[in-house]
Amino acid sequence: MKSKTPIVFLIALAATFALGLLASSIMERRAEARHVNATVAPRPTSGYESRNSQWAAAYPRQYETLRDTRDMSFTPPLVGAHGLDALRENPRQVILWAGYAFSKDYNHPRGHAYAVEDVRATLRTGAPMKAGEGPQPASCWVCKSPDVPRLMSAMGVDEFYKKQWSDLGGEITNHIGCADCHEPKTMQLTITRPHLVAAYKAATGRDITTASHQEMRSLVCAQCHVEYYFDKKTVPGGQVVTLPWKHGFSIEDAEKYYDGIGFTDYVNTISKTPILKAQHPDYELWRMGIHGQRGVSCADCHMPYTADGSQKFSSHHVQSPLADTSKSCQVCHRQNADELVKNVTDRQRAILGMMERIETELVHAHFEARAAWDAGASESEMAPILQLIRQAQWRWDYVAASHGAGFHAPLECARILDAGLGRAASARLQLARVLAAHGKNAPVALPDISTKESAQKYLGIDIAKERAAKAEFMKNAVPQWLENARAKGTLDEAPPAQNKTF
């Protein structure tokens, strides 16, 4: 038998040559990456630089994609024909939120570039013409701007929370951006909102600084995309943003927390029910879904990696993953784009159907409760019924307020809504018995609430007056705020990105 030594030698030689080429290629790519990523201008390295354009020279790709959050040309498949106006799309919400500012104005969310602009424009913040006026506290600014951690650092967290929303209008002018999520010296992800630091410790027993990089790619989003309330007791004269995570992350854990402290967001003016108004528990529900359980972060789907030459970076155009499934969904899922979109919309549509059913039950329950009060029902008769309505509406609102939860955690959403439907049905059954006991056996008729306008008219909301006051505020107060920020050097004067809307 001939020796195989020459063959083995040739194979080894070829393998060595191939490995050499691979190593050379890797070194070349690393050199290219260093060149592409080279900083051509100084970047902020200390403090809180809230003007996003000041980060642009060092991080041009991230900055340009952040500016793209102003592009609203992509319309998610299930957004209705009314575009942004969620109350016009679903007038039942006006009744469910009777007695709360959301019954005046509630829109579908827009990109991060609109954060400050939209909170100024909504009717919910009123029309304060000078500092100290208006219905809302400074807490309403907390999730809107990197100016917030700048101010908290400068004046102290407690002092920040003692302010009114109108007090800080001339200070908070820059929309969500770089300094909200990045430590300036190292550019590592960081938590800038103290409420998340405290809540994470309470819920997990862990210091949030021990979180992994992948965990941080969701936790920086959880600074804002969470359920919260304003604690009016911890800081005298202040309203502190607080997360109800003491008992855990579930809806029942939050309900236990709120019931334990006797908290109510508002009392529904139709039924007299003490209501819990959910905010946007996106992080909590994401944790319950398969992506959260498998360690897929918010950024993996909403800020997918893209490439500019040899440079791979995370796009800061935070938007629906359906806008570009090739960079989000199809990185892991090999189905075609149409099938993936159908998978998403089928799940969301099923959850929306459940939400519509519970909304209808709740609307009837609120009016039947009013009829029972009018018929002479006692506090003792109504207390258990109002508790059921409170629990049912909390479950509806928890899902409704979390945009995308129908896909993030469809099974959890269905479980929550099923529990809400059962409570709403039980409330209506008990209301029928109370009404019958007081001689009212006919079905309770609903007023005309078929449109946003008719529902608001029923509640006595003078929308024309509200809009006129807001227009005056936008014309006179807001320009003064901007001028104050310009004088202090905190206003970002970079030209705005192209405004593409629905």
Side-chain angles (χ1 to χ4, degrees):
M1 181 182 294
K2 294 183 177 180
S3 173
K4 294 183 179 179
T5 301
I7 297 175
V8 173
F9 175 76
L10 290 173
I11 292 173
L13 184 63
T16 302
F17 181 71
L19 289 172
L21 288 176
L22 177 61
S24 175
S25 176
I26 290 172
M27 295 301 292
E28 183 179 352
R29 290 299 183 186
R30 285 181 176 175
E32 288 177 1
R34 283 194 296 269
H35 176 72
V36 171
N37 203 36
T39 299
V40 297
R43 61 179 171 86
T45 56
S46 63
Y48 292 96
E49 176 51 77
S50 53
R51 295 170 297 172
N52 295 312
S53 66
Q54 298 302 300
W55 302 75
Y59 303 99
R61 300 168 187 84
Q62 290 84 351
Y63 176 69
E64 288 303 321
T65 53
L66 173 66
R67 281 161 57 87
D68 285 341
T69 60
R70 201 166 186 83
D71 181 353
M72 295 294 295
S73 57
F74 173 75
T75 304
L78 296 185
V79 170
H82 297 295
L84 290 173
D85 194 337
L87 293 183
R88 187 174 299 281
E89 184 176 291
N90 182 4
R92 290 184 294 269
Q93 296 176 124
V94 176
I95 299 303
L96 300 181
W97 294 327
Y100 201 56
F102 273 73
S103 63
K104 301 177 183 178
D105 188 17
Y106 178 57
N107 294 325
H108 287 293
R110 298 203 290 174
H112 283 170
Y114 295 97
V116 172
E117 184 177 321
D118 284 354
V119 77
R120 288 187 196 129
T122 180
L123 298 179
R124 299 198 303 273
T125 52
M129 298 305 294
K130 59 183 180 181
E133 292 184 342
Q136 303 296 354
S139 314
C140 288
W141 286 117
V142 165
C143 288
K144 308 303 181 185
S145 170
D147 286 309
V148 170
R150 176 179 66 80
L151 288 172
M152 285 182 169
S153 177
M155 68 174 59
V157 175
D158 288 358
E159 290 304 312
F160 178 94
Y161 282 127
K162 291 178 183 179
K163 300 291 185 181
Q164 285 294 102
W165 183 77
S166 56
D167 294 337
L168 303 180
E171 293 279 4
I172 299 178
T173 58
N174 300 293
H175 66 73
I176 295 167
C178 311
D180 283 308
C181 303
H182 291 281
E183 196 285 318
K185 290 184 180 179
T186 66
M187 289 308 291
Q188 293 296 311
L189 293 173
T190 190
I191 304 302
T192 57
R193 299 321 196 258
H195 57 258
L196 181 62
V197 176
Y200 187 81
K201 179 70 172 180
T204 68
R206 294 172 57 195
D207 189 310
I208 205 165
T209 59
T210 66
S212 69
H213 177 71
Q214 183 67 358
E215 289 174 315
M216 288 295 289
R217 297 180 79 230
S218 293
L219 284 170
V220 289
C221 305
Q223 296 185 101
C224 297
H225 291 265
V226 286
E227 162 61 17
Y228 65 88
Y229 77 107
F230 295 162
D231 177 1
K232 300 179 182 179
K233 298 179 180 179
T234 302
V235 175
Q239 298 192 41
V240 179
V241 173
T242 306
L243 313 187
W245 290 1
K246 178 181 178 181
H247 306 297
F249 295 102
S250 74
I251 183 174
E252 289 84 6
D253 290 332
E255 185 175 52
K256 178 181 178 181
Y257 176 89
Y258 287 136
D259 287 348
I261 63 172
F263 179 78
T264 291
D265 279 290
Y266 69 102
V267 174
N268 184 282
T269 54
I270 298 171
S271 65
K272 300 183 183 180
T273 302
I275 296 292
L276 291 174
K277 172 69 185 78
Q279 303 308 321
H280 24 65
D282 305 314
Y283 177 79
E284 294 93 332
L285 282 168
W286 161 83
R287 287 175 56 92
M288 302 293 181
I290 191 64
H291 289 90
Q293 292 169 6
R294 296 287 172 85
V296 179
S297 74
C298 304
D300 285 323
C301 302
H302 294 276
M303 301 174 64
Y305 283 109
T306 189
D308 180 12
S310 66
Q311 180 63 47
K312 178 181 176 183
F313 70 100
S314 179
S315 171
H316 283 54
H317 186 183
V318 185
Q319 62 176 333
S320 168
L322 300 185
D324 190 346
T325 57
S326 66
K327 292 179 180 176
S328 53
C329 311
Q330 289 176 307
V331 172
C332 298
H333 302 285
R334 299 308 179 188
Q335 296 93 334
N336 65 56
D338 290 343
E339 184 177 352
L340 289 167
V341 172
K342 184 177 184 300
N343 288 339
V344 174
T345 55
D346 283 351
R347 286 160 174 75
Q348 291 180 323
R349 191 171 285 110
I351 296 303
L352 285 172
M354 294 187 71
M355 287 170 58
E356 289 171 2
R357 292 195 294 276
I358 193 172
E359 287 166 10
T360 299
E361 291 292 308
L362 283 167
V363 167
H364 281 278
H366 283 298
F367 282 103
E368 288 162 358
R370 164 170 276 189
W373 286 116
D374 292 344
S378 66
E379 294 278 352
S380 60
E381 287 177 301
M382 294 297 290
I385 295 171
L386 299 186
Q387 180 70 359
L388 285 169
I389 296 174
R390 170 185 167 96
Q391 293 172 348
Q393 185 157 324
W394 166 239
R395 282 155 177 79
W396 162 76
D397 209 346
Y398 198 85
V399 175
S402 180
H403 309 283
F407 175 71
H408 290 157
L411 290 177
E412 178 67 3
C413 289
R415 182 191 73 83
I416 291 170
L417 292 174
D418 179 68
L421 276 166
R423 285 167 170 80
S426 294
R428 292 193 68 193
L429 178 61
Q430 293 187 36
L431 280 165
R433 291 171 177 165
V434 170
L435 286 164
H438 289 269
K440 303 293 182 180
N441 294 301
V444 175
L446 300 182
D448 177 16
I449 53 171
S450 59
T451 66
K452 166 188 170 181
E453 290 78 14
S454 62
Q456 290 174 334
K457 182 178 180 181
Y458 173 82
L459 295 180
I461 299 173
D462 190 342
I463 286 295
K465 181 179 178 180
E466 295 272 349
R467 287 175 177 163
K470 178 61 77 172
E472 182 70 13
F473 163 77
M474 296 295 289
K475 179 182 178 182
N476 295 309
V478 170
Q480 185 60 54
W481 287 359
L482 297 178
E483 188 55 41
N484 290 343
R486 181 176 291 110
K488 294 176 182 177
T490 57
L491 180 66
D492 198 336
E493 301 280 18
Q498 184 178 0
N499 183 0
K500 298 179 181 178
T501 57
F502 285 112

